[in-house]
Amino acid sequence: MKKIESILIPAGMVGALVYLFHTVIGARMWPEYNPVTTDISTLTANGSPNAEFLRILTTAYGILMILFAIGMIMRAFRVYNGKLKAAMMILLVLQSVSLGGYALFPLDSNAPMNSFQNSMHIVVTAVVVLATAAFAFLAAFGYLNQEGLNKFGKVVLGLAVAIAVFGLFNPIAAAFGLQILGITERLVIFSIMVLLFAISNFETFTITPYNT
């Protein structure tokens, strides 16, 4: 079990880097794309110039994160408390929904936002966002309640709060008519990637009584 965990858990770090790479390289490959005003999903939307290549990267991200979640579930059920067990199970569900949902319902730039395709894309996004918030706070309180891991729990809680606060920026910006969706979305998504990378890194390299 421990050996399998040690192989799967580092996938979280790799997956986070792959996702961040897709946002950077996608914007650079599309000169007309504006990362300030345009959301990340547009990079892989139907009709976008580099969608097929970038979907390979997002699929790789999804698979890596599922492997990471499986490894964390194995560790959580071996040594961690109930909150961390629940958090890692939610992580597996949200990553599975993300991988399958976005593959089935990519954003369609050529269709109205209320089309079935785009409506389902929004539904998948809503499910992923809510599940991510639940995962982040459960993981934070799980680490806080686990003996010897309080300090890292505070780090995870800080990132969970950042994700929640940045998540409010989208409706606030929309209410004031600010065309900064690209920035507000990236604040949320990049915070999530930092959280996933941090947990994977901590569980991979930090020596604790729980993974020795």
Side-chain angles (χ1 to χ4, degrees):
M1 290 284 285
K2 293 181 183 180
K3 186 173 183 179
I4 297 174
E5 291 170 18
S6 68
I7 295 172
L8 296 180
I9 289 175
M13 289 183 286
V14 180
L17 293 176
V18 168
Y19 190 90
L20 293 175
F21 175 73
H22 117 273
T23 66
V24 174
I25 195 67
R28 291 185 65 86
M29 292 171 64
W30 188 0
E32 293 79 18
Y33 177 84
N34 188 339
V36 173
T37 61
T38 312
D39 58 71
I40 295 172
S41 292
T42 298
L43 291 171
T44 52
N46 291 339
S48 296
N50 305 296
E52 291 186 8
F53 167 68
L54 295 175
R55 284 176 188 171
I56 293 173
L57 296 179
T58 55
T59 299
Y61 157 77
I63 293 171
L64 287 164
M65 283 303 173
I66 287 174
L67 294 176
F68 165 57
I70 292 171
M72 284 304 304
I73 288 172
M74 292 170 65
R75 178 164 294 173
F77 274 86
R78 183 168 62 83
V79 296
Y80 285 152
N81 58 45
K83 291 185 179 69
L84 280 169
K85 292 174 185 174
M88 300 312 162
M89 291 177 70
I90 290 173
L91 177 63
L92 178 60
V93 170
L94 80 87
Q95 293 296 345
S96 299
V97 170
S98 176
L99 179 61
Y102 287 131
L104 289 172
F105 305 109
L107 192 69
D108 190 343
S109 302
N110 299 318
M113 285 306 297
N114 62 354
S115 67
F116 176 77
Q117 179 84 7
N118 288 336
S119 295
M120 290 305 299
H121 182 89
I122 293 170
V123 169
V124 171
T125 299
V127 170
V128 169
V129 167
L130 292 174
T132 299
F135 157 73
F137 281 100
L138 266 176
F141 291 120
Y143 280 116
L144 286 169
N145 294 336
Q146 190 75 36
E147 183 181 358
L149 302 184
N150 184 268
K151 183 180 291 187
F152 184 64
K154 292 177 181 178
V155 173
V156 176
L157 181 59
L159 288 169
V161 171
I163 291 167
V165 171
F166 289 148
L168 297 175
F169 286 8
N170 281 345
I172 291 173
F176 283 93
L178 301 176
Q179 301 298 314
I180 56 171
L181 178 59
I183 292 178
T184 56
E185 185 184 60
R186 278 168 172 76
L187 287 172
V188 177
I189 299 299
F190 290 178
S191 296
I192 294 170
M193 293 304 116
V194 170
L195 172 62
L196 294 171
F197 185 95
I199 293 175
S200 177
N201 181 273
F202 178 81
E203 295 287 347
T204 299
F205 297 115
T206 302
I207 299 175
T208 74
Y210 309 105
N211 59 18
T212 56

